[in-house]
Amino acid sequence: MKPSIPKGTRDFSPIEMTRRNYIFDTLKDVFQLHGYQAIETPSMENLSTLLGKYGEEGDKLLFKVLNSGDFLKKVKEDIHGIDPNKVATQISEKGLRYDLTVPFARYVVQHRNEISFPFKRYQIQPVWRADRPQKGRYREFFQCDVDVIGSNSLLNEVELVVIIDEVFKRLNINTEVLINNRKILAGIAEVIGQPEKIIDITVAIDKLDKIGIEKVNQELLDKGIPAVAVDQLQPIILLNGSIDEKFAKLETILAASEVGLKGIEEAKEIFDHLKEMDLTTKWDLDLTLARGLNYYTGAIIEVKSADVKIGSICGGGRYDDLTGIFGLADVSGVGISFGADRIYDVLNELGKFPADAEFTTKLMFVNFGAKEASYCLGLLKDIRKAGINAELFPDSAKMKKQMTYANNKNIEFVALIGENEMNEGTITLKNMQSGEQKTVNLEQLIQELA
């Protein structure tokens, strides 16, 4: 068989891994700068932990792990023609995690006696979704989550937008932060007379960018929402103007909705704080932003690249009682997730990876023979102690082969030490980009490369 990998997954070469680690390291630095601590959770969770947390569509995208052994033995009925989820729970007790938020909620409840609230954590791990692969959408991808749980303060939302601003400023990506509030959406559902259809409405309008207004309207009609309510919805979700103008119009539209006015109040407080933060990122109120996950209850946030059409590269929001499903009620949290794979694609398309993100080894010693190699090993100890990534070519092969290796690996400098250099205590240092050569001693080499 010809070797292959599942659709929607990817191999990563050394250069790609170096670039990915540049993204991860940038995120970790910013997260830690704001006082967040790292945790990890298992790739697999009990299926009971995952099912029902992401809505009907999310449940369909869960990868289920078959029970070991004769997994069909415990199926109590003919599996043909019955609900697939019902069958799944009989042949599968575990599933690959769909995101990092639900496992985090489970973690908080399970370890609530060991952690201090508010608990600020970050988590960088892969997740899996049985989605249709396409540009910017994979079945296996990394999420980089940062959450604070155990605090109702809207200052947490403000801090997360500040983190977004700092991350993308460091990565040199122009972005726009879109903010909405699920309470505003609930208020809209109320004023058009469809409060019980809030989930159907949010799931549909969350697809506006992907499928357009006509298909969104058709989906709303298909979900049983009357045409008159769909017509009422149009001017609301397509509201334009400045942020202040949008709020003014919303206050009039949602005047009869207590929950809607509460959502406006929360959103205005966040925007008022953001005005004081001197952010470089653009931000706006977007009523079409719904983020279809059922557990969001307050602010919702989404980040898009201003220069590459690829969908959301970061998003999240407030969840007031996600831990309640695991037995710990009334613990509010808020968090965002950075899509490392899409961020990678944006940086790659724009050519914005820094030059040093290409390099793993900075210096390679050419191997002229056993005596020279032994001499170089002694120097390597001091060079590596100075924090310089360095290696010795293992074989005394032809010079062309060694130089080709250095070129293919994007090694910046090559050191040549023959008998003369050993006698004089010098090193011939070659810059592989410019071709320039010069003679230095060990101290000078370390000073130049460190």
Side-chain angles (χ1 to χ4, degrees):
M1 281 183 64
K2 185 179 179 180
S4 64
I5 57 175
K7 288 182 179 178
T9 65
R10 294 176 291 173
D11 288 324
F12 294 96
S13 68
I15 286 180
E16 289 167 327
M17 283 304 302
T18 303
R19 290 174 172 179
R20 281 163 63 84
N21 286 335
Y22 160 69
I23 296 170
F24 294 149
D25 291 344
T26 301
L27 292 170
K28 288 176 187 176
D29 284 349
V30 177
F31 296 162
Q32 291 170 3
L33 190 65
H34 289 82
Y36 290 79
Q37 298 174 296
I39 68 164
E40 287 194 353
T41 59
S43 299
M44 290 183 295
E45 293 278 349
N46 291 325
L47 205 52
S48 58
T49 298
L50 303 173
L51 281 172
K53 313 305 187 299
Y54 307 105
E56 186 179 339
E57 293 196 13
D59 282 352
K60 292 176 184 175
L61 301 182
L62 287 173
F63 276 109
K64 286 86 172 175
V65 179
L66 289 175
N67 295 336
S68 56
D70 186 2
F71 55 85
L72 287 176
K73 190 176 181 180
K74 293 184 179 179
V75 177
K76 299 175 183 177
E77 54 203 307
D78 180 8
I79 65 173
H80 299 289
I82 66 172
D83 181 4
N85 279 334
K86 188 176 179 184
V87 177
T89 56
Q90 294 185 58
I91 64 175
S92 174
E93 296 171 354
K94 298 174 287 294
L96 297 180
R97 58 172 174 250
Y98 178 93
D99 73 351
L100 299 178
T101 306
V102 169
F104 173 52
R106 189 267 309 152
Y107 173 93
V108 168
V109 175
Q110 196 169 337
H111 297 271
R112 60 185 179 273
N113 295 324
E114 306 159 26
I115 58 180
S116 299
F117 293 102
F119 181 47
K120 300 172 74 171
R121 84 84 168 86
Y122 74 87
Q123 193 171 348
I124 299 178
Q125 288 187 277
V127 299
W128 294 267
R129 296 182 186 178
D131 215 340
R132 184 171 65 86
Q134 54 186 289
K135 182 183 178 183
R137 181 168 294 182
Y138 306 99
R139 286 175 171 167
E140 178 187 60
F141 56 97
F142 266 78
Q143 282 189 340
C144 310
D145 279 21
V146 55
D147 287 73
V148 54
I149 196 163
S151 169
N152 296 309
S153 173
L154 294 174
L155 292 178
N156 296 312
E157 278 86 338
V158 175
E159 181 175 73
L160 291 176
V161 177
V162 172
I163 285 173
I164 290 168
D165 182 70
E166 180 65 23
V167 164
F168 290 114
K169 187 161 56 178
R170 292 191 186 195
L171 293 175
N172 195 21
I173 296 176
N174 298 320
T175 57
E176 183 177 23
V177 180
L178 304 174
I179 300 172
N180 198 6
N181 193 297
R182 289 285 284 223
K183 294 184 180 73
I184 293 176
L185 293 170
I188 291 170
E190 268 187 18
V191 299
I192 66 169
Q194 301 294 312
E196 75 287 350
K197 293 284 189 178
I198 178 62
I199 299 300
D200 292 332
I201 292 170
T202 55
V203 167
I205 68 174
D206 196 52
K207 301 174 184 174
L208 187 65
D209 275 355
K210 301 171 192 171
I211 64 176
I213 188 68
E214 289 184 11
K215 289 184 178 178
V216 167
N217 290 341
Q218 187 57 53
E219 183 170 328
L220 291 168
L221 293 170
D222 292 344
K223 291 288 187 180
I225 297 170
V228 63
V230 174
D231 289 341
Q232 286 178 289
L233 195 57
Q234 306 309 294
I236 301 173
I237 62 173
L238 299 177
L239 203 63
N240 53 28
S242 70
I243 293 172
D244 290 338
E245 287 170 342
K246 289 177 184 176
F247 278 131
K249 292 174 186 176
L250 274 177
E251 284 172 338
T252 301
I253 293 168
L254 301 181
S257 171
E258 186 178 342
V259 67
L261 292 176
K262 180 63 176 174
I264 293 172
E265 180 188 330
E266 290 179 4
K268 287 179 79 171
E269 183 176 336
I270 292 168
F271 280 111
D272 286 344
H273 283 301
L274 291 179
K275 289 175 185 175
E276 303 167 2
M277 301 307 297
D278 192 29
L279 305 180
T280 57
T281 304
K282 295 179 182 177
W283 36 277
D284 198 4
L285 174 68
D286 184 357
L287 297 182
T288 69
L289 175 60
R291 296 196 67 81
L293 298 181
N294 290 349
Y295 53 66
Y296 290 125
T297 55
I300 39 180
I301 301 167
E302 189 162 278
V303 184
K304 294 184 177 181
S305 164
D307 302 314
V308 178
K309 195 174 177 66
I310 200 170
S312 170
I313 56 176
C314 176
R318 166 74 61 174
Y319 41 91
D320 278 337
D321 194 26
L322 189 57
T323 57
I325 55 180
F326 300 116
L328 183 62
D330 302 322
V331 180
S332 186
V334 62
I336 52 174
S337 177
F338 290 84
D341 295 275
R342 287 188 178 181
I343 292 171
Y344 180 101
D345 289 344
V346 170
L347 287 170
N348 202 38
E349 187 167 328
L350 297 176
K352 286 192 173 180
F353 279 107
D356 57 4
E358 304 285 329
F359 306 121
T360 51
T361 300
K362 196 172 186 74
L363 173 70
M364 185 195 84
F365 281 88
V366 170
N367 189 330
F368 285 108
K371 186 170 66 173
E372 291 86 348
S374 180
Y375 182 86
C376 291
L377 285 174
L379 299 179
L380 275 169
K381 184 175 69 174
D382 292 328
I383 290 168
R384 289 168 177 156
K385 192 180 290 184
I388 300 166
N389 296 349
E391 62 181 276
L392 167 68
F393 196 83
D395 306 305
S396 57
K398 291 182 179 178
M399 179 67 75
K400 182 180 179 182
K401 181 176 181 179
Q402 298 191 49
M403 289 299 187
T404 299
Y405 171 85
N407 272 322
N408 290 343
K409 203 171 177 182
N410 286 321
I411 295 174
E412 290 184 81
F413 295 93
V414 164
L416 301 100
I417 298 181
E419 192 168 335
N420 288 341
E421 283 84 1
M422 286 194 294
N423 291 336
E424 296 170 5
T426 60
I427 302 164
T428 299
L429 184 65
K430 179 175 182 177
N431 185 314
M432 292 296 286
Q433 291 178 307
S434 67
E436 178 191 357
Q437 285 191 187
K438 58 183 174 182
T439 301
V440 295
N441 59 32
L442 178 61
E443 186 179 340
Q444 290 169 330
L445 181 145
I446 289 172
Q447 194 172 27
E448 181 160 337
L449 270 60

